[in-house]
Amino acid sequence: MIAPVIDFSLRRASGSLFGLAYGDALGKPTEFLTVAEIVRRYGPAGPRELAGDPALVTDDTQMALAVAWALHDAPAFTPEAVAPLLQQRFVDWSVSPDNNRAPGMTCLRACAELSLGVRWQEATVADSKGCGANMRVTPVGLLDVDLDTLAGLAQLQAGLTHGHPTGLAASELTAYAVRLLRDGAALAELPGLLTARAHGQRTVYRADWLGDLWQRPGERTPAEFIARGWDECLRVLGRLDAALARPDDGGDPCRLTGEGWIAEEALATALLCAIRHADDPVGALARGATTAGDSDSIAALAGAFVGAAHGMPAWPADWSTRIEYADQLATLAASHD
């Protein structure tokens, strides 16, 4: 197999991180609106312009920055080095005065336990597979690490707050999708590549990263525990394939792949938006924001995917100075471009 040629002039890491924030900002005001209300407010094309200066983001971008800074500060990409840094960044976020963007209750509950010194495998919300597991994982996909390390990091950052196996598997797939795109894969190739990854990893439990997270009532083996997560991801990837096989009717993508409140549906619906609008990056964000579901998370992940594929040229030039946390996004992306 010939290794892909990465065009670093595109600044794909910047495109992905900024794209996540742009999608988050466009989806922020539409998250709790119906599609009809969004269309009345923004027109049938949905929101396509950043509002405000700075344009405010949600906890999706804030937590992605927390992950990115933990990785930036880590002396090594090992569970022993990264887990304490992630925990501290998450706890700091949870008590920050800027944490006023309707944050998810799962993250707040887990962070409250972590702040008390509870072991993370016990602090996590074991039955939650909310999209908070993977809305923040994009920075992992931008690292130059082997795929086992990428998988371990992606699942660890998810598991600190969302202990459900589907949250773990969906987070790995999200990070893997960013990696594939950064390395030159086409957006249209992703469903097949992610499906192959899910089949290949179905019974792989990463004990070195997750410890005894799997041990809870009703679970018999680590392999059976993690397989439940991969199987749910495979089912939603099947729904994605079915959706892409149909002509695009321009309607709410959530009708086909789910509303995005849970991790696997956030991944699939964001991919649907990104693939449908592969040649119109802002359109991919607008499509994600024009949904009846978790619009900011769907649009944020769509932005991360399209930005990784096309780099910074995908986005209007003036947006990079108008988005909230622009300085942090630029600093964190610089070492990966």
Side-chain angles (χ1 to χ4, degrees):
M1 178 179 177
I2 300 174
V5 177
I6 304 174
D7 185 352
F8 289 101
S9 67
L10 294 177
R11 298 173 59 206
R12 293 179 189 268
S14 292
S16 187
L17 279 182
F18 275 93
L20 182 146
Y22 298 154
D24 190 16
L26 288 180
K28 180 178 184 290
T30 68
E31 180 179 9
F32 300 110
L33 300 179
T34 66
V35 171
E37 290 169 332
I38 297 168
V39 170
R40 279 197 296 271
R41 183 176 298 185
Y42 297 99
R48 298 179 66 99
E49 297 290 340
L50 293 184
D53 193 2
L56 299 181
V57 297
T58 77
D59 58 314
D60 293 33
T61 300
Q62 290 176 339
M63 294 204 77
L65 288 170
V67 171
W69 281 117
L71 298 173
H72 177 273
D73 295 341
F77 295 131
T78 64
E80 297 78 15
V82 175
L85 296 173
L86 284 169
Q87 291 180 59
Q88 189 60 56
R89 289 284 180 177
F90 287 179
V91 170
D92 289 348
W93 162 83
S94 72
V95 298
S96 167
D98 291 331
N99 178 20
N100 56 0
R101 317 291 170 88
M105 290 307 299
T106 293
C107 291
L108 293 180
R109 286 173 55 192
C111 287
E113 293 294 301
L114 290 171
S115 71
L116 298 175
V118 176
R119 200 169 66 96
W120 76 259
Q121 289 90 344
E122 298 168 3
T124 190
V125 181
D127 60 351
S128 178
K129 59 173 182 174
C131 66
N134 59 334
M135 70 186 189
R136 63 191 185 219
V137 76
T138 291
V140 174
L142 299 174
L143 297 175
D144 290 317
V145 294
D146 61 81
L147 291 183
D148 285 329
T149 302
L150 180 144
L153 287 167
Q155 292 195 29
L156 172 65
Q157 68 80 35
L160 288 174
T161 54
H162 295 69
H164 193 287
T166 305
L168 307 178
S171 294
E172 178 178 331
L173 285 179
T174 302
Y176 184 52
V178 172
R179 159 65 70 83
L180 290 168
L181 293 166
R182 188 209 68 173
D183 287 354
L187 282 159
E189 297 176 302
L190 285 187
L193 293 170
L194 297 184
T195 297
R197 178 73 179 176
H199 281 298
Q201 298 299 302
R202 184 176 175 274
T203 59
V204 177
Y205 180 79
R206 300 185 179 276
D208 50 340
W209 292 89
L210 303 176
D212 61 358
L213 179 64
W214 73 275
Q215 292 185 350
R216 58 191 64 165
E219 298 293 352
R220 297 190 301 177
T221 68
E224 288 186 9
F225 166 80
I226 199 64
R228 288 197 294 113
W230 287 109
D231 287 345
E232 289 199 337
C233 288
L234 283 166
R235 283 194 286 274
V236 81
L237 287 171
R239 291 164 62 188
L240 174 62
D241 284 334
L244 290 169
R246 309 173 187 173
D248 185 6
D249 64 4
D252 184 357
C254 291
R255 295 169 302 137
L256 304 175
T257 46
E259 294 191 341
W261 304 108
I262 54 178
E264 73 273 29
E265 290 185 355
L267 168 63
T269 304
L271 284 171
L272 181 57
C273 295
I275 294 168
R276 288 293 197 198
H277 300 273
D279 297 324
D280 178 15
V282 175
L285 307 187
R287 187 70 176 274
T290 310
T291 62
D294 194 351
S295 300
D296 60 327
S297 297
I298 294 168
L301 287 179
F305 296 145
V306 177
H310 295 297
M312 281 301 277
W315 311 121
D318 67 313
W319 283 15
S320 65
T321 59
R322 295 176 48 214
I323 192 71
E324 190 178 18
Y325 303 114
D327 55 343
Q328 294 190 50
L329 292 165
T331 296
L332 289 163
S335 61
H336 303 295
D337 278 329

